[in-house]
Amino acid sequence: MIGRMAGNLRRMPRASAEFTPAFQDGTLVKVKGDVTVYHVPGSKGEGLQLEGKQGKVVSDVTMYRGEKLSATLPVVVEFEIETEDGSKRKVFKAHLAEDELEAL
């Protein structure tokens, strides 16, 4: 099985009190990089291009229990998209890097 486990993250030295994540929870962001995800419900394995899509930051896992982690994709963003026929909306989350996002 291929995947990332939370226990495999390398721990960095304790962060100072001044450290703040790049994006706070609830921040509206826009994807600025060329990012394709394949886990969108109902997409049948076809990739969904996220460039230009807007979402809301759900969490930033850079800090965990007062320690700074070296997570590769630390920002969890929630997106809401319409189905192809426009009948309903789908919500999904994606883990992204800080340099792939810009705050709105």
Side-chain angles (χ1 to χ4, degrees):
M1 182 173 148
I2 298 174
R4 288 181 238 133
M5 304 277 293
N8 292 338
L9 297 176
R10 291 178 287 144
R11 293 185 183 206
M12 304 294 281
R14 287 208 180 266
S16 65
E18 305 93 41
F19 177 81
T20 55
F23 298 100
Q24 299 295 324
D25 294 359
T27 303
L28 294 176
V29 294
K30 179 178 172 182
V31 179
K32 65 179 182 178
D34 182 24
V35 178
T36 303
V37 293
Y38 295 89
H39 67 281
V40 179
S43 67
K44 299 176 184 169
E46 295 178 13
L48 175 68
Q49 182 59 249
L50 293 182
E51 186 171 7
K53 298 221 183 300
Q54 296 179 10
K56 180 177 70 172
V57 174
V58 177
S59 67
D60 185 334
V61 296
T62 305
M63 292 292 292
Y64 180 70
R65 295 185 181 173
E67 294 184 16
K68 185 175 179 185
L69 300 177
S70 62
T72 307
L73 304 171
V75 185
V76 182
V77 180
E78 183 177 82
F79 296 94
E80 189 174 307
I81 59 170
E82 288 187 13
T83 56
E84 289 181 12
D85 61 4
S87 61
K88 59 182 177 176
R89 301 179 79 67
K90 295 186 271 185
V91 176
F92 68 96
K93 296 177 185 173
H95 290 251
L96 301 169
E98 293 172 355
D99 63 347
E100 296 173 329
L101 299 168
E102 62 183 38
L104 297 176

